Amino acid sequence: MRIMGKRQLGELEPIELTVAILISNLASQPLSDVGTPLIYGLVPVLTLFCLQVTITLISAKSIRFRRLLGGSPTVIIENGVIDQKELKANRVSLDELFAELRGMGYTDASEVKRAVLETDGSLSVIPYDRFAPVTPEVLGLSISEKKLPTAIISDGRVLSENLKAMGLNEKWLLSQLRKNGVKSPDGVFLMTADSERNTTIIKREAKK
Amino acid sequence: MKKELFALFLLIVIIGFSVFNSLFISAIAEKAEKLVLLSTNSAESVVDAEKLFSDNRAYLGAVLRHSELDAISDGFYELKKALVSGDGAQSELAAERLIARLHAMERMEILRLDSIF
């Protein structure tokens, strides 16, 4: 997988893709052949799982091991200039590079301060500030932080843990439902609440 | 860390089971081989060997390919047929073939360099 290079990997790290392919192949063998015991698939799959967990742990602790298995990220564009040597070394064509940039909203390499080809094959782009999306901070605006809503009813079911985590209780919940003309949680498709107890209720559609 | 400890524990269990499996199958194969060797003098020992094999068939069926076990069953049938026919040379040949199959069953589960490559 390392020899194949980053372009083959999509979004998975090399070890993850290898293990995924191996597991699917091993698991399918006893399923397709009645004469092969299930244990012939089960033991190798479990062994691979154990090895993958161990390798992940070692990778997390050791940079050298991580680089050996997954390689290193490569800078493809620096200060608006494409590194042709790295592009060739990673077997990425200009068409592919510009397709990725266009997908992120950049039409030219000169708009990009740095573009990194990650170990999982994806491209990370850091644009020059003048081409970056505008934020309220850039415009000198101060806005209040959005309160993150949490689901407390999902498809008619009360999510008690979330309710408890928000510091709310069922009594409050039922009172909110009554205020919105809903008799019970069963009649709710989705209900969310934020830290200021602002709620959003989507009622279930009536059955036709 | 729980996941890593679980993985380590599972790996130890798998290795332990593999060692046990290897030793258990070797023990069955060795006993059966000894009984089959005696079969040239006593037909009863073939019956004993076949009983030993069939008593453990359920376990063997869970850990070995069925085609291998079927080949051993065929071997017992061939040996019994040769003994009944009274053909000494044929009986010896059938016994040797059966022992080879039992030996192969035993060696299949042992981890060796040539089994890996």
Side-chain angles (χ1 to χ4, degrees):
Chain A
M1 296 308 298
R2 286 280 287 118
I3 291 166
M4 278 162 64
K6 294 169 195 170
R7 3 167 339 109
Q8 304 292 334
L9 302 176
E11 292 182 10
L12 290 173
E13 294 290 335
I15 186 70
E16 290 167 353
L17 183 63
T18 307
V19 169
I21 292 168
L22 279 172
I23 284 178
S24 64
N25 201 31
L26 287 166
S28 69
Q29 279 179 15
L31 292 175
S32 57
D33 180 7
V34 182
T36 306
L38 277 175
I39 210 166
Y40 269 50
L42 197 62
V43 168
V45 164
L46 289 175
T47 307
L48 272 176
F49 158 72
C50 296
L51 291 175
Q52 203 255 338
V53 167
T54 309
I55 286 168
T56 310
L57 180 66
I58 299 171
S59 295
K61 305 280 184 197
S62 164
I63 296 173
R64 260 193 211 171
F65 189 76
R66 196 159 59 237
R67 281 190 185 151
L68 177 70
L69 278 189
S72 309
T74 314
V75 176
I76 294 282
I77 302 175
E78 184 77 58
N79 295 325
V81 176
I82 298 171
D83 189 331
Q84 295 177 38
K85 192 179 159 197
E86 287 296 343
L87 207 64
K88 200 174 172 184
N90 286 283
R91 300 196 308 285
V92 175
S93 67
L94 272 174
D95 288 342
E96 284 168 326
L97 175 64
F98 277 94
E100 283 290 319
L101 290 176
R102 279 194 301 273
M104 293 182 196
Y106 305 104
T107 52
D108 195 70
S110 59
E111 296 173 21
V112 174
K113 195 170 180 179
R114 182 177 280 187
V116 180
L117 185 61
E118 306 292 356
T119 55
D120 62 2
S122 62
L123 189 71
S124 301
V125 172
I126 301 147
Y128 281 107
D129 290 346
R130 62 185 184 278
F131 296 110
V134 174
T135 62
E137 197 182 343
V138 167
L139 295 172
L141 299 170
S142 90
I143 55 167
S144 55
E145 280 298 314
K146 206 190 280 186
K147 308 288 179 287
L148 296 171
T150 304
I152 49 177
I153 296 178
S154 173
D155 202 13
R157 201 165 73 91
V158 175
L159 304 174
S160 311
E161 276 179 18
N162 289 359
L163 199 63
K164 204 174 165 184
M166 299 284 293
L168 303 167
N169 55 39
E170 291 226 9
K171 199 175 164 187
W172 173 88
L173 177 67
L174 291 171
S175 70
Q176 291 300 307
L177 291 178
R178 271 197 299 272
K179 267 187 207 172
N180 286 275
V182 179
K183 288 181 186 168
S184 78
D186 287 341
V188 175
F189 184 63
L190 176 66
M191 179 177 178
T192 61
D194 62 27
S195 54
E196 290 188 351
R197 299 193 174 192
N198 298 314
T199 59
T200 304
I201 296 176
I202 302 169
K203 296 178 192 175
R204 264 198 214 268
E205 283 174 1
K207 282 183 187 169
K208 289 172 187 172
Chain B
M1 204 61 198
K2 276 185 194 172
K3 190 176 163 189
E4 285 80 13
L5 288 171
F6 173 73
L8 184 64
F9 170 72
L10 189 59
L11 202 54
I12 292 168
V13 166
I14 289 170
I15 292 169
F17 172 74
S18 300
V19 171
F20 162 77
N21 182 55
S22 190
L23 292 171
F24 187 69
I25 291 175
S26 291
I28 294 171
E30 272 173 29
K31 266 191 210 167
E33 280 170 36
K34 280 183 187 155
L35 288 167
V36 168
L37 272 172
L38 294 171
S39 67
T40 43
N41 298 324
S42 158
E44 267 183 31
S45 62
V46 177
V47 175
D48 291 340
E50 198 179 13
K51 190 174 181 304
L52 173 69
F53 180 73
S54 60
D55 284 350
N56 292 287
R57 182 77 193 229
Y59 175 82
L60 293 172
V63 296
L64 294 174
R65 284 205 164 84
H66 298 177
S67 56
E68 298 293 331
L69 303 177
D70 290 343
I72 293 170
S73 297
D74 288 345
F76 276 115
Y77 172 74
E78 280 170 21
L79 178 57
K80 283 191 294 187
K81 191 175 158 188
L83 285 170
V84 162
S85 71
D87 187 339
Q90 202 64 23
S91 305
E92 269 185 39
L93 198 63
E96 270 174 41
R97 260 205 300 266
L98 179 54
I99 287 169
R101 284 175 180 161
L102 286 167
H103 196 58
M105 178 184 83
E106 180 191 358
R107 280 180 68 74
M108 204 185 305
E109 293 299 302
I110 296 171
L111 195 64
R112 303 181 314 275
L113 273 175
D114 56 344
S115 67
I116 297 170
F117 296 107

XYZ file of all heavy atoms in Angstrom, chain B residues 73-112:
312
model
N -12.344 -40.060 6.602
C -13.470 -41.020 6.678
C -13.383 -42.028 5.538
O -13.585 -43.230 5.737
C -14.804 -40.287 6.595
O -14.954 -39.424 7.683
N -13.076 -41.538 4.335
C -12.904 -42.424 3.176
C -11.767 -43.406 3.424
O -11.852 -44.585 3.037
C -12.593 -41.608 1.906
C -13.810 -40.847 1.406
O -14.924 -41.175 1.851
O -13.636 -39.906 0.591
N -10.714 -42.898 4.070
C -9.558 -43.742 4.377
C -9.929 -44.886 5.301
O -9.497 -46.032 5.107
N -10.752 -44.602 6.310
C -11.226 -45.658 7.219
C -12.049 -46.689 6.451
O -11.916 -47.905 6.663
C -12.072 -45.048 8.355
C -11.258 -44.534 9.498
C -11.227 -43.178 9.799
C -10.509 -45.397 10.288
C -10.467 -42.700 10.859
C -9.739 -44.924 11.345
C -9.714 -43.566 11.618
N -12.890 -46.179 5.568
C -13.755 -47.084 4.770
C -12.894 -48.002 3.898
O -13.123 -49.209 3.849
C -14.709 -46.238 3.912
C -15.500 -47.052 2.922
C -16.562 -47.849 3.338
C -15.160 -47.049 1.561
C -17.282 -48.605 2.432
C -15.873 -47.806 0.650
C -16.923 -48.582 1.085
O -17.628 -49.341 0.181
N -11.896 -47.417 3.253
C -11.002 -48.219 2.371
C -10.261 -49.270 3.182
O -10.107 -50.422 2.730
C -9.954 -47.297 1.722
C -10.441 -46.522 0.524
C -9.419 -45.454 0.089
O -8.236 -45.592 0.444
O -9.835 -44.500 -0.577
N -9.799 -48.904 4.376
C -9.042 -49.837 5.214
C -9.939 -50.994 5.669
O -9.549 -52.163 5.598
C -8.441 -49.100 6.407
C -7.650 -49.938 7.414
C -6.507 -50.687 6.720
C -7.070 -49.061 8.520
N -11.143 -50.658 6.097
C -12.078 -51.700 6.559
C -12.420 -52.638 5.393
O -12.494 -53.862 5.543
C -13.350 -51.069 7.117
C -13.165 -50.483 8.516
C -14.448 -50.098 9.197
C -15.142 -48.982 8.533
N -16.311 -48.472 9.257
N -12.598 -52.071 4.234
C -12.935 -52.863 3.037
C -11.798 -53.839 2.718
O -12.022 -55.021 2.440
C -13.152 -51.893 1.875
C -13.765 -52.491 0.625
C -14.043 -51.384 -0.390
C -14.144 -51.953 -1.779
N -14.227 -50.914 -2.798
N -10.559 -53.307 2.805
C -9.385 -54.147 2.502
C -9.231 -55.256 3.537
O -8.887 -56.398 3.191
C -8.136 -53.265 2.474
N -9.489 -54.949 4.799
C -9.367 -55.962 5.866
C -10.423 -57.050 5.687
O -10.133 -58.238 5.867
C -9.524 -55.294 7.243
C -8.328 -54.474 7.736
C -8.693 -53.661 8.974
C -7.128 -55.357 8.034
N -11.613 -56.637 5.339
C -12.709 -57.612 5.143
C -12.394 -58.527 3.962
O -12.655 -59.727 3.993
C -14.059 -56.867 4.941
C -15.103 -57.758 4.304
C -14.556 -56.302 6.268
N -11.793 -57.937 2.910
C -11.493 -58.751 1.721
C -10.355 -59.733 1.979
O -10.156 -60.685 1.211
C -11.127 -57.821 0.551
O -9.869 -57.230 0.781
N -9.578 -59.485 3.050
C -8.507 -60.414 3.419
C -7.229 -60.191 2.640
O -6.280 -60.965 2.753
N -7.171 -59.134 1.828
C -5.981 -58.875 1.018
C -4.965 -58.121 1.885
O -5.145 -56.954 2.185
C -6.378 -58.025 -0.206
C -5.228 -57.864 -1.189
O -4.063 -58.039 -0.799
O -5.517 -57.535 -2.357
N -3.905 -58.844 2.294
C -2.907 -58.279 3.212
C -2.199 -57.070 2.636
O -2.035 -56.044 3.298
N -1.805 -57.178 1.358
C -1.060 -56.074 0.722
C -1.948 -54.840 0.605
O -1.506 -53.707 0.878
C -0.581 -56.499 -0.669
N -3.203 -55.082 0.200
C -4.155 -53.968 0.054
C -4.420 -53.308 1.404
O -4.531 -52.072 1.485
C -5.462 -54.529 -0.533
C -6.346 -53.509 -1.228
C -5.699 -52.887 -2.462
O -4.797 -53.458 -3.078
N -6.139 -51.709 -2.813
N -4.497 -54.141 2.456
C -4.753 -53.602 3.817
C -3.609 -52.715 4.257
O -3.828 -51.629 4.816
C -4.908 -54.729 4.839
O -5.895 -55.614 4.439
N -2.402 -53.181 3.979
C -1.215 -52.383 4.378
C -1.200 -51.044 3.657
O -0.921 -49.991 4.228
C 0.067 -53.151 4.035
C 0.547 -54.024 5.189
C 1.875 -54.683 4.905
O 2.745 -54.034 4.308
O 2.010 -55.845 5.296
N -1.502 -51.114 2.365
C -1.532 -49.885 1.547
C -2.585 -48.901 2.065
O -2.326 -47.698 2.212
C -1.842 -50.285 0.105
C -1.501 -49.266 -0.972
C -0.008 -49.003 -1.003
C -1.958 -49.778 -2.341
N -3.768 -49.462 2.346
C -4.869 -48.620 2.848
C -4.500 -48.013 4.197
O -4.812 -46.843 4.471
C -6.152 -49.438 2.951
N -3.831 -48.823 5.041
C -3.412 -48.336 6.365
C -2.398 -47.198 6.221
O -2.481 -46.179 6.914
C -2.815 -49.484 7.184
N -1.458 -47.397 5.284
C -0.431 -46.348 5.067
C -1.069 -45.055 4.592
O -0.699 -43.958 5.035
C 0.568 -46.824 4.007
C 1.755 -47.573 4.578
C 2.647 -48.152 3.499
O 2.881 -47.444 2.479
O 3.074 -49.300 3.670
N -2.037 -45.184 3.675
C -2.716 -43.983 3.144
C -3.471 -43.264 4.250
O -3.436 -42.032 4.338
C -3.704 -44.395 2.031
C -3.173 -44.187 0.620
C -4.277 -44.008 -0.381
N -5.161 -45.152 -0.452
C -5.027 -46.148 -1.316
N -4.033 -46.159 -2.180
N -5.880 -47.158 -1.322
N -4.135 -44.029 5.094
C -4.918 -43.435 6.185
C -3.996 -42.732 7.176
O -4.279 -41.621 7.627
C -5.743 -44.509 6.885
C -6.599 -44.045 8.067
C -7.514 -42.901 7.681
C -7.416 -45.217 8.619
N -2.862 -43.376 7.471
C -1.901 -42.771 8.408
C -1.361 -41.464 7.821
O -1.210 -40.461 8.525
C -0.752 -43.749 8.733
C -1.268 -44.871 9.653
C 0.423 -43.036 9.395
C -0.327 -46.020 9.839
N -1.117 -41.476 6.509
C -0.625 -40.248 5.854
C -1.652 -39.118 5.977
O -1.296 -37.962 6.227
C -0.319 -40.531 4.384
N -2.927 -39.474 5.818
C -3.982 -38.446 5.935
C -4.109 -37.938 7.364
O -4.307 -36.739 7.581
C -5.321 -39.010 5.460
C -5.398 -39.104 3.945
C -6.654 -39.770 3.498
N -6.709 -39.842 2.032
C -7.487 -40.668 1.364
N -8.290 -41.488 2.002
N -7.475 -40.683 0.055
N -3.979 -38.847 8.320
C -4.047 -38.435 9.740
C -2.858 -37.536 10.078
O -2.998 -36.541 10.788
C -4.048 -39.667 10.652
C -5.357 -40.463 10.685
C -5.149 -41.808 11.337
C -6.443 -39.700 11.422
N -1.712 -37.906 9.526
C -0.506 -37.121 9.755
C -0.656 -35.719 9.143
O -0.247 -34.713 9.733
C 0.688 -37.854 9.139
C 1.999 -37.356 9.637
N 2.331 -37.354 10.972
C 3.063 -36.828 8.989
C 3.531 -36.839 11.125
N 4.004 -36.510 9.935
N -1.267 -35.678 7.954
C -1.488 -34.377 7.287
C -2.440 -33.516 8.111
O -2.256 -32.305 8.232
C -2.062 -34.598 5.883
N -3.458 -34.142 8.691
C -4.414 -33.425 9.537
C -3.680 -32.816 10.742
O -3.923 -31.678 11.129
C -5.491 -34.398 10.038
C -6.514 -33.754 10.965
S -7.712 -34.917 11.626
C -6.837 -35.608 12.998
N -2.758 -33.592 11.287
C -2.003 -33.140 12.452
C -1.083 -31.974 12.069
O -1.012 -30.957 12.759
C -1.182 -34.319 12.975
C -0.344 -34.012 14.189
C 0.633 -35.138 14.485
O 0.625 -36.163 13.773
O 1.410 -34.984 15.422
N -0.391 -32.117 10.942
C 0.605 -31.127 10.542
C -0.029 -29.822 10.062
O 0.581 -28.767 10.126
C 1.486 -31.696 9.428
C 2.570 -32.629 9.928
C 3.386 -33.148 8.761
N 4.186 -32.117 8.108
C 5.302 -31.581 8.604
N 5.755 -31.962 9.774
N 5.960 -30.667 7.950
N -1.289 -29.923 9.607
C -1.989 -28.749 9.063
C -2.070 -27.615 10.094
O -2.029 -26.445 9.751
C -3.401 -29.181 8.683
C -4.041 -28.319 7.624
S -5.731 -28.819 7.349
C -5.564 -30.532 6.985
N -2.236 -27.989 11.361
C -2.482 -26.983 12.385
C -1.220 -26.509 13.083
O -1.283 -25.645 13.947
C -3.453 -27.550 13.437
C -4.841 -27.772 12.869
C -5.482 -26.488 12.381
O -5.640 -25.542 13.174
O -5.821 -26.418 11.189
N -0.082 -27.110 12.704
C 1.175 -26.707 13.358
C 1.774 -25.552 12.572
O 1.843 -25.598 11.339
C 2.171 -27.892 13.408
C 1.599 -29.014 14.280
C 3.523 -27.447 13.950
C 2.398 -30.294 14.225
N 2.181 -24.516 13.310
C 2.757 -23.344 12.654
C 4.215 -23.636 12.303
O 5.050 -23.828 13.173
C 2.672 -22.144 13.616
C 2.898 -20.770 13.003
C 1.837 -20.442 11.996
C 2.902 -19.716 14.098
N 4.487 -23.674 10.994
C 5.874 -23.903 10.539
C 6.170 -22.878 9.451
O 5.250 -22.319 8.856
C 6.015 -25.299 9.915
C 5.617 -26.453 10.794
C 5.817 -27.779 10.061
N 5.321 -27.792 8.701
C 4.067 -28.058 8.354
N 3.173 -28.322 9.257
N 3.708 -28.061 7.090
